[in-house]
Amino acid sequence: MVSDRPTANGVVPMMKDMTTTERRRDSGRTKAEILQVAQREFARKGYAGARVDEIADLMRTTKRMIYYYFSSKEQLFLAVLEKAYAEVRAVEQKVDVTHLDPVEAIRTLAELTFDHHDAHRDFIKLVSIENIHEAEHIRKSATLANLGTPVLDLIERILAAGKANGEFVTEADAVDVHIMISSFCFFRVSNAYTFGALFGRDMTAPENRARLRTMVGELVVAYLRGAGAKD
Amino acid sequence: MVSDRPTANGVVPMMKDMTTTERRRDSGRTKAEILQVAQREFARKGYAGARVDEIADLMRTTKRMIYYYFSSKEQLFLAVLEKAYAEVRAVEQKVDVTHLDPVEAIRTLAELTFDHHDAHRDFIKLVSIENIHEAEHIRKSATLANLGTPVLDLIERILAAGKANGEFVTEADAVDVHIMISSFCFFRVSNAYTFGALFGRDMTAPENRARLRTMVGELVVAYLRGAGAKD
DNA sequence: CTCGTAATGTACGAACTGGTGAGTTAACTT
DNA sequence: AAGTTAACTCACCAGTTCGTACATTACGAG
């Protein structure tokens, strides 16, 4: 066997210069890159449609590395999901609306949720994919259980404040309010494609975006004020 | 759902008896059965995850027939989608709420939509799958363009009536109202799995079903009455 | 009854796809 | 300097999976 020198992929520079902190072998970075590329591939093609080979081809790592770090396609997908959810939680926890009056607080929460969904299309696709598979991966993950409680606490506090000052009349449950907000924001992004094809309107287009963003808030506030109840 | 098979299941009997009207070769029925089984398979596994061989194994037909009638996996999927949408349209067109007053009409429409989504889980999964693939199949279909107009007409009439009698204050667009209703009903079913895993509540469970069903109507009515607007 | 054709059964294959065995190299420790 | 091990490369395989070539059979027309 002639051991022809692996001249790398031509991309990685040979550096003896150790002043740079960059390392040619870096497990953390390789793992992170795999997760990033895998997320895009899964989101674009679905779980079964995504190809491990393709994920590998899209980066400077090889397929062997994927299995080295993640053991299987399924565990890779789970890792992608966990990372995506973690990012979401991180953003949500920065939300502080406690200083606002209840109506403004719930409106703001709705709009922030709207913006967040708008900005994380890949995440939404991953969740859709996971739902098609009836959450079989999430259920295996301990990390992801009861990830929702922080938001629920927030909503609960807002609802309590709203009732206390008389602005909210409807007896509403925090989870239900969360469903109202999420469903609207999620659907607008997740179903934009078929909706556009069937109704000839792009829900994600800029001219619709602003109007729909306002709508979420108004919707929830109107409900909480009790205007929808039968009299 | 015609099941005119004399034998419960098992092998088709060799019959020289021609008094029976049943034909052992029946293209229409074979096609229908393929579509039915394929729908379930696609809904359960996603587009790429569905296996043509498995679809064949799940019936009394062979894989060869699938290709004989549908040419390719992709065209089979499209046919499944078209059939599913056709059934939906058929149901929607039977809805008549014109005799009701506007508030009751929109509430009823919302609840009917709710029931409809509740009863057609497979359809919802197919739509989710199609959205993951950015509606690439639907776009190829002439049959499915502007399928939504009937519902929009209905909503428009209700909105006009509501404004006329003063019950609706909000300047609302028919498509937007449809989004409000659909998003809630669709999300409740499509995302029930991940939602259940994260929030520990099954949105499709009977005890929640009834409450959420009432909520859709109240939500939309509250919004249309203008209670959510900033003053 | 015979013949043409639509409908169906059988067997197979080429390309793919998740996963692995085994060796190699870089970086760190002592 | 030598040893240790984590990080990485390369070639390969066994099982799938979509799709097809070809043989066969039932049905209806004439």
Side-chain angles (χ1 to χ4, degrees):
Chain A
M1 272 312 165
V2 182
S3 60
D4 58 347
R5 295 255 66 240
T7 47
N9 300 341
V11 190
V12 183
M14 278 289 172
M15 48 169 70
K16 308 241 159 99
D17 182 3
M18 281 310 169
T19 56
T20 349
T21 45
E22 188 183 3
R23 295 190 300 177
R24 294 182 50 208
R25 294 192 164 193
D26 187 333
S27 67
R29 179 173 146 184
T30 304
K31 267 200 233 179
E33 199 181 349
I34 291 174
L35 282 174
Q36 186 190 318
V37 176
Q39 164 159 357
R40 238 185 48 206
E41 176 78 358
F42 279 123
R44 280 188 187 5
K45 313 273 183 70
Y47 176 72
R51 302 292 167 225
V52 180
D53 283 291
E54 181 135 349
I55 295 173
D57 291 345
L58 256 43
M59 355 175 254
R60 17 174 288 285
T61 316
T62 61
K63 179 171 62 165
R64 194 69 187 77
M65 284 296 96
I66 296 174
Y67 285 94
Y68 183 63
Y69 287 118
F70 297 98
S71 306
S72 71
K73 185 184 182 182
E74 198 172 343
Q75 283 193 49
L76 173 62
F77 182 69
L78 182 56
V80 167
L81 265 181
E82 284 177 344
K83 185 190 136 225
Y85 268 113
E87 289 169 1
V88 169
R89 179 170 57 176
V91 172
E92 271 178 350
Q93 279 179 339
K94 274 194 282 184
V95 175
D96 179 29
V97 293
T98 43
H99 63 287
L100 299 169
D101 93 297
V103 169
E104 270 316 302
I106 206 80
R107 214 194 295 272
T108 304
L109 176 65
E111 289 174 357
L112 283 174
T113 306
F114 185 96
D115 294 339
H116 183 264
H117 280 68
D118 193 62
H120 297 83
R121 311 277 169 103
D122 273 2
F123 170 70
I124 290 190
K125 279 199 177 179
L126 289 175
V127 174
S128 289
I129 291 167
E130 182 62 357
N131 273 297
I132 286 165
H133 298 290
E134 313 203 339
E136 60 168 306
H137 305 102
I138 283 189
R139 268 189 256 139
K140 289 175 190 163
S141 164
T143 318
L144 294 174
N146 283 55
L147 196 64
T149 36
V151 202
L152 294 185
D153 287 347
L154 179 62
I155 295 179
E156 236 150 49
R157 272 181 280 129
I158 299 176
L159 289 182
K163 267 201 200 160
N165 77 5
E167 288 189 288
F168 294 162
V169 176
T170 309
E171 284 293 330
D173 177 79
V175 179
D176 288 349
V177 173
H178 181 63
I179 293 177
M180 284 174 32
I181 298 174
S182 291
S183 63
F184 189 92
C185 298
F186 194 98
F187 179 91
R188 184 189 71 100
V189 176
S190 70
N191 286 46
Y193 305 100
T194 57
F195 196 90
L198 262 61
F199 293 90
R201 179 179 298 189
D202 180 4
M203 294 190 286
T204 63
E207 68 268 25
N208 295 318
R209 213 195 83 98
R211 190 185 63 258
L212 293 173
R213 186 176 189 270
T214 309
M215 270 184 60
V216 212
E218 294 186 353
L219 199 59
V220 184
V221 170
Y223 174 77
L224 291 174
R225 281 179 174 158
K230 295 188 185 181
D231 8 44
Chain B
M1 310 303 152
V2 267
S3 177
D4 50 1
R5 298 209 52 200
T7 42
N9 53 16
V11 192
V12 179
M14 279 290 171
M15 48 167 67
K16 307 243 161 96
D17 183 3
M18 283 309 168
T19 54
T20 347
T21 44
E22 187 190 5
R23 295 190 303 177
R24 294 182 50 210
R25 296 190 163 195
D26 187 333
S27 66
R29 183 174 142 181
T30 303
K31 268 200 233 178
E33 197 181 350
I34 291 174
L35 282 173
Q36 187 190 317
V37 176
Q39 163 159 358
R40 238 185 46 206
E41 176 78 359
F42 279 123
R44 280 190 189 1
K45 314 273 183 70
Y47 175 72
R51 302 291 167 226
V52 180
D53 282 291
E54 181 137 348
I55 294 173
D57 291 345
L58 256 42
M59 353 174 256
R60 19 174 287 286
T61 316
T62 61
K63 180 172 61 163
R64 186 68 188 76
M65 286 296 95
I66 296 174
Y67 284 94
Y68 184 64
Y69 288 117
F70 297 99
S71 306
S72 71
K73 186 184 181 181
E74 197 171 344
Q75 283 194 48
L76 173 62
F77 181 70
L78 181 56
V80 166
L81 265 181
E82 284 178 344
K83 185 190 136 226
Y85 268 114
E87 288 169 0
V88 169
R89 179 170 58 177
V91 172
E92 270 177 351
Q93 278 177 340
K94 274 194 282 184
V95 175
D96 179 29
V97 293
T98 42
H99 64 288
L100 299 170
D101 94 297
V103 169
E104 270 317 302
I106 207 79
R107 214 193 293 272
T108 305
L109 177 65
E111 289 174 356
L112 283 174
T113 306
F114 185 96
D115 294 339
H116 183 264
H117 281 68
D118 193 62
H120 296 83
R121 311 278 169 102
D122 273 3
F123 170 69
I124 290 190
K125 280 201 176 177
L126 289 175
V127 174
S128 290
I129 291 166
E130 182 63 358
N131 273 295
I132 286 163
H133 298 288
E134 313 203 337
E136 61 168 305
H137 305 102
I138 282 190
R139 268 188 257 139
K140 289 176 188 163
S141 164
T143 318
L144 294 174
N146 283 55
L147 196 64
T149 36
V151 202
L152 294 185
D153 287 347
L154 179 61
I155 295 179
E156 238 150 47
R157 272 182 281 128
I158 299 177
L159 290 182
K163 268 202 198 158
N165 77 4
E167 288 189 287
F168 295 162
V169 175
T170 309
E171 284 293 329
D173 176 80
V175 179
D176 289 348
V177 172
H178 180 64
I179 293 176
M180 286 175 30
I181 298 174
S182 291
S183 63
F184 189 92
C185 298
F186 193 97
F187 180 92
R188 186 191 70 101
V189 176
S190 69
N191 286 46
Y193 304 99
T194 56
F195 196 91
L198 264 61
F199 293 90
R201 179 179 299 188
D202 180 4
M203 293 190 287
T204 63
E207 67 268 25
N208 296 319
R209 212 195 84 98
R211 190 186 62 260
L212 293 172
R213 185 174 189 270
T214 308
M215 269 183 60
V216 212
E218 294 185 352
L219 200 60
V220 184
V221 169
Y223 174 78
L224 291 174
R225 280 180 174 157
K230 294 188 186 183
D231 6 47

PDB file of all heavy atoms in Angstrom, chain A residues 150-167:
ATOM      1  N   PRO A 150     -41.797  27.159  32.413  1.00  0.00           N
ATOM      2  CA  PRO A 150     -41.505  28.588  32.594  1.00  0.00           C
ATOM      3  C   PRO A 150     -42.538  29.496  31.921  1.00  0.00           C
ATOM      4  O   PRO A 150     -43.027  30.441  32.560  1.00  0.00           O
ATOM      5  CB  PRO A 150     -40.140  28.757  31.926  1.00  0.00           C
ATOM      6  CG  PRO A 150     -39.516  27.416  31.969  1.00  0.00           C
ATOM      7  CD  PRO A 150     -40.625  26.429  31.903  1.00  0.00           C
ATOM      8  N   VAL A 151     -42.863  29.193  30.665  1.00  0.00           N
ATOM      9  CA  VAL A 151     -43.857  30.022  29.970  1.00  0.00           C
ATOM     10  C   VAL A 151     -45.184  29.979  30.692  1.00  0.00           C
ATOM     11  O   VAL A 151     -45.862  31.001  30.818  1.00  0.00           O
ATOM     12  CB  VAL A 151     -44.085  29.514  28.528  1.00  0.00           C
ATOM     13  CG1 VAL A 151     -44.643  30.630  27.680  1.00  0.00           C
ATOM     14  CG2 VAL A 151     -42.827  28.925  27.953  1.00  0.00           C
ATOM     15  N   LEU A 152     -45.556  28.810  31.154  1.00  0.00           N
ATOM     16  CA  LEU A 152     -46.841  28.686  31.834  1.00  0.00           C
ATOM     17  C   LEU A 152     -46.878  29.529  33.102  1.00  0.00           C
ATOM     18  O   LEU A 152     -47.880  30.168  33.399  1.00  0.00           O
ATOM     19  CB  LEU A 152     -47.118  27.218  32.165  1.00  0.00           C
ATOM     20  CG  LEU A 152     -47.318  26.311  30.953  1.00  0.00           C
ATOM     21  CD1 LEU A 152     -47.709  24.909  31.396  1.00  0.00           C
ATOM     22  CD2 LEU A 152     -48.361  26.882  30.001  1.00  0.00           C
ATOM     23  N   ASP A 153     -45.777  29.529  33.820  1.00  0.00           N
ATOM     24  CA  ASP A 153     -45.709  30.358  35.019  1.00  0.00           C
ATOM     25  C   ASP A 153     -45.942  31.818  34.669  1.00  0.00           C
ATOM     26  O   ASP A 153     -46.716  32.516  35.332  1.00  0.00           O
ATOM     27  CB  ASP A 153     -44.323  30.205  35.684  1.00  0.00           C
ATOM     28  CG  ASP A 153     -44.182  28.858  36.372  1.00  0.00           C
ATOM     29  OD1 ASP A 153     -45.219  28.180  36.533  1.00  0.00           O
ATOM     30  OD2 ASP A 153     -43.049  28.489  36.730  1.00  0.00           O
ATOM     31  N   LEU A 154     -45.252  32.235  33.627  1.00  0.00           N
ATOM     32  CA  LEU A 154     -45.387  33.626  33.187  1.00  0.00           C
ATOM     33  C   LEU A 154     -46.835  33.958  32.859  1.00  0.00           C
ATOM     34  O   LEU A 154     -47.396  34.951  33.353  1.00  0.00           O
ATOM     35  CB  LEU A 154     -44.498  33.838  31.953  1.00  0.00           C
ATOM     36  CG  LEU A 154     -44.517  35.234  31.329  1.00  0.00           C
ATOM     37  CD1 LEU A 154     -44.002  36.246  32.340  1.00  0.00           C
ATOM     38  CD2 LEU A 154     -43.670  35.270  30.061  1.00  0.00           C
ATOM     39  N   ILE A 155     -47.444  33.115  32.042  1.00  0.00           N
ATOM     40  CA  ILE A 155     -48.836  33.360  31.660  1.00  0.00           C
ATOM     41  C   ILE A 155     -49.736  33.388  32.885  1.00  0.00           C
ATOM     42  O   ILE A 155     -50.615  34.232  33.011  1.00  0.00           O
ATOM     43  CB  ILE A 155     -49.315  32.289  30.668  1.00  0.00           C
ATOM     44  CG1 ILE A 155     -48.526  32.394  29.359  1.00  0.00           C
ATOM     45  CG2 ILE A 155     -50.808  32.443  30.375  1.00  0.00           C
ATOM     46  CD1 ILE A 155     -48.914  31.364  28.323  1.00  0.00           C
ATOM     47  N   GLU A 156     -49.497  32.486  33.773  1.00  0.00           N
ATOM     48  CA  GLU A 156     -50.319  32.418  34.973  1.00  0.00           C
ATOM     49  C   GLU A 156     -50.264  33.731  35.767  1.00  0.00           C
ATOM     50  O   GLU A 156     -51.292  34.240  36.229  1.00  0.00           O
ATOM     51  CB  GLU A 156     -49.840  31.274  35.866  1.00  0.00           C
ATOM     52  CG  GLU A 156     -50.930  30.282  36.201  1.00  0.00           C
ATOM     53  CD  GLU A 156     -50.356  28.883  36.421  1.00  0.00           C
ATOM     54  OE1 GLU A 156     -49.366  28.776  37.184  1.00  0.00           O
ATOM     55  OE2 GLU A 156     -50.884  27.924  35.844  1.00  0.00           O
ATOM     56  N   ARG A 157     -49.068  34.256  35.887  1.00  0.00           N
ATOM     57  CA  ARG A 157     -48.916  35.507  36.618  1.00  0.00           C
ATOM     58  C   ARG A 157     -49.659  36.649  35.917  1.00  0.00           C
ATOM     59  O   ARG A 157     -50.328  37.457  36.558  1.00  0.00           O
ATOM     60  CB  ARG A 157     -47.429  35.848  36.787  1.00  0.00           C
ATOM     61  CG  ARG A 157     -46.834  35.221  38.051  1.00  0.00           C
ATOM     62  CD  ARG A 157     -45.377  35.588  38.234  1.00  0.00           C
ATOM     63  NE  ARG A 157     -44.514  34.757  37.389  1.00  0.00           N
ATOM     64  CZ  ARG A 157     -43.581  35.225  36.570  1.00  0.00           C
ATOM     65  NH1 ARG A 157     -43.389  36.525  36.478  1.00  0.00           N
ATOM     66  NH2 ARG A 157     -42.849  34.404  35.862  1.00  0.00           N
ATOM     67  N   ILE A 158     -49.540  36.672  34.611  1.00  0.00           N
ATOM     68  CA  ILE A 158     -50.231  37.723  33.853  1.00  0.00           C
ATOM     69  C   ILE A 158     -51.741  37.595  34.023  1.00  0.00           C
ATOM     70  O   ILE A 158     -52.447  38.586  34.245  1.00  0.00           O
ATOM     71  CB  ILE A 158     -49.857  37.660  32.362  1.00  0.00           C
ATOM     72  CG1 ILE A 158     -48.351  37.883  32.171  1.00  0.00           C
ATOM     73  CG2 ILE A 158     -50.643  38.701  31.571  1.00  0.00           C
ATOM     74  CD1 ILE A 158     -47.882  37.755  30.749  1.00  0.00           C
ATOM     75  N   LEU A 159     -52.214  36.369  33.935  1.00  0.00           N
ATOM     76  CA  LEU A 159     -53.652  36.152  34.064  1.00  0.00           C
ATOM     77  C   LEU A 159     -54.156  36.586  35.440  1.00  0.00           C
ATOM     78  O   LEU A 159     -55.197  37.231  35.569  1.00  0.00           O
ATOM     79  CB  LEU A 159     -53.987  34.677  33.830  1.00  0.00           C
ATOM     80  CG  LEU A 159     -53.856  34.156  32.390  1.00  0.00           C
ATOM     81  CD1 LEU A 159     -54.274  32.700  32.306  1.00  0.00           C
ATOM     82  CD2 LEU A 159     -54.662  35.005  31.424  1.00  0.00           C
ATOM     83  N   ALA A 160     -53.382  36.225  36.451  1.00  0.00           N
ATOM     84  CA  ALA A 160     -53.778  36.583  37.812  1.00  0.00           C
ATOM     85  C   ALA A 160     -53.850  38.106  37.971  1.00  0.00           C
ATOM     86  O   ALA A 160     -54.814  38.646  38.524  1.00  0.00           O
ATOM     87  CB  ALA A 160     -52.780  35.992  38.804  1.00  0.00           C
ATOM     88  N   ALA A 161     -52.834  38.777  37.437  1.00  0.00           N
ATOM     89  CA  ALA A 161     -52.804  40.237  37.522  1.00  0.00           C
ATOM     90  C   ALA A 161     -53.993  40.849  36.792  1.00  0.00           C
ATOM     91  O   ALA A 161     -54.610  41.806  37.274  1.00  0.00           O
ATOM     92  CB  ALA A 161     -51.493  40.757  36.927  1.00  0.00           C
ATOM     93  N   GLY A 162     -54.302  40.276  35.626  1.00  0.00           N
ATOM     94  CA  GLY A 162     -55.418  40.788  34.828  1.00  0.00           C
ATOM     95  C   GLY A 162     -56.752  40.622  35.532  1.00  0.00           C
ATOM     96  O   GLY A 162     -57.631  41.491  35.445  1.00  0.00           O
ATOM     97  N   LYS A 163     -56.894  39.526  36.212  1.00  0.00           N
ATOM     98  CA  LYS A 163     -58.144  39.309  36.939  1.00  0.00           C
ATOM     99  C   LYS A 163     -58.223  40.238  38.143  1.00  0.00           C
ATOM    100  O   LYS A 163     -59.281  40.777  38.470  1.00  0.00           O
ATOM    101  CB  LYS A 163     -58.211  37.865  37.422  1.00  0.00           C
ATOM    102  CG  LYS A 163     -58.928  36.962  36.435  1.00  0.00           C
ATOM    103  CD  LYS A 163     -59.416  35.726  37.155  1.00  0.00           C
ATOM    104  CE  LYS A 163     -59.681  34.618  36.170  1.00  0.00           C
ATOM    105  NZ  LYS A 163     -59.696  33.317  36.850  1.00  0.00           N
ATOM    106  N   ALA A 164     -57.066  40.414  38.765  1.00  0.00           N
ATOM    107  CA  ALA A 164     -57.023  41.258  39.957  1.00  0.00           C
ATOM    108  C   ALA A 164     -57.459  42.684  39.644  1.00  0.00           C
ATOM    109  O   ALA A 164     -58.217  43.293  40.399  1.00  0.00           O
ATOM    110  CB  ALA A 164     -55.605  41.256  40.543  1.00  0.00           C
ATOM    111  N   ASN A 165     -57.013  43.221  38.529  1.00  0.00           N
ATOM    112  CA  ASN A 165     -57.388  44.605  38.229  1.00  0.00           C
ATOM    113  C   ASN A 165     -58.649  44.685  37.358  1.00  0.00           C
ATOM    114  O   ASN A 165     -58.997  45.755  36.853  1.00  0.00           O
ATOM    115  CB  ASN A 165     -56.219  45.371  37.609  1.00  0.00           C
ATOM    116  CG  ASN A 165     -55.988  45.024  36.145  1.00  0.00           C
ATOM    117  OD1 ASN A 165     -56.750  44.272  35.534  1.00  0.00           O
ATOM    118  ND2 ASN A 165     -54.940  45.587  35.583  1.00  0.00           N
ATOM    119  N   GLY A 166     -59.283  43.547  37.149  1.00  0.00           N
ATOM    120  CA  GLY A 166     -60.577  43.549  36.483  1.00  0.00           C
ATOM    121  C   GLY A 166     -60.562  43.618  34.968  1.00  0.00           C
ATOM    122  O   GLY A 166     -61.614  43.601  34.330  1.00  0.00           O
ATOM    123  N   GLU A 167     -59.395  43.629  34.365  1.00  0.00           N
ATOM    124  CA  GLU A 167     -59.346  43.717  32.901  1.00  0.00           C
ATOM    125  C   GLU A 167     -59.686  42.380  32.223  1.00  0.00           C
ATOM    126  O   GLU A 167     -60.205  42.362  31.123  1.00  0.00           O
ATOM    127  CB  GLU A 167     -57.972  44.198  32.448  1.00  0.00           C
ATOM    128  CG  GLU A 167     -57.723  45.673  32.750  1.00  0.00           C
ATOM    129  CD  GLU A 167     -56.447  46.189  32.105  1.00  0.00           C
ATOM    130  OE1 GLU A 167     -55.341  45.815  32.565  1.00  0.00           O
ATOM    131  OE2 GLU A 167     -56.542  46.949  31.136  1.00  0.00           O
TER     132      GLU A 167
END
